[in-house]
Amino acid sequence: MKRPPEIQINQFQLALLLKDEQKKFFEMVIADNVFCSQCGGSTKEGITINEMFLTDLNDILVKGTCNTCNGKVARMMEFGEDKDFYNKAMDFRNSIRN
Ligand SMILES: [Zn+2]
C-alpha cells in the first residue's frame, strides 16, 4: 500500500482529528513527557509547539522548543495505530487535497 505524504497541520486541524481522550493524552505529553537532549531528560516546563505534522503512518509529529532551555525538541505520537484515528486522518487528507 502506498503511504500518504507527510503534511503539516495546525492546531485547529489537530483538534478536529483528536478525540477528547487523545487530546488529554496530547496535552499531557506536551506538558511533561517530551525528551530534551539539552536538559538530558523530560522537559520540566513543557514545550512550545512550533510545527506539527501528520506523518506517512498517520502519527502526529510535534516539533518545538523546550520551555526550560530553549533547545529544539521533537516528539512522535503514535495515533496512527488507532484505526479510528487512522481513518479520520485519511478522510482529513482527502478533504484538504484541493
Ligand atoms: Zn531543555
Side-chain angles (χ1 to χ4, degrees), residues 36 38-39 43 66-71 73:
C36 173
Q38 229 163 282
C39 292
T43 57
C66 170
N67 287 342
T68 307
C69 73
N70 238 12
V73 293

Side-chain angles (χ1 to χ4, degrees), residues 15 17-27 88:
L17 286 167
L18 298 182
K19 289 190 270 195
D20 283 351
E21 77 241 34
Q22 291 170 326
K23 275 178 201 156
K24 277 184 199 139
F25 172 77
F26 184 90
E27 298 296 334
K88 221 170 172 183

Side-chain angles (χ1 to χ4, degrees), residues 1-72:
M1 195 170 72
K2 194 170 168 283
R3 285 183 181 178
E6 179 168 291
I7 54 172
Q8 191 166 2
I9 57 170
N10 60 35
Q11 292 274 9
F12 176 71
Q13 291 166 324
L14 180 79
L16 288 177
L17 286 167
L18 298 182
K19 289 190 270 195
D20 283 351
E21 77 241 34
Q22 291 170 326
K23 275 178 201 156
K24 277 184 199 139
F25 172 77
F26 184 90
E27 298 296 334
M28 198 186 77
V29 170
I30 294 304
D32 67 4
N33 201 9
V34 177
F35 181 81
C36 173
S37 55
Q38 229 163 282
C39 292
S42 290
T43 57
K44 304 233 168 359
E45 298 160 76
I47 69 166
T48 299
I49 298 171
N50 297 328
E51 292 176 303
M52 293 186 296
F53 300 90
L54 191 59
T55 73
D56 59 349
L57 294 174
N58 285 332
D59 292 328
I60 301 285
L61 173 64
V62 175
K63 290 184 181 176
T65 48
C66 170
N67 287 342
T68 307
C69 73
N70 238 12
K72 283 202 170 134

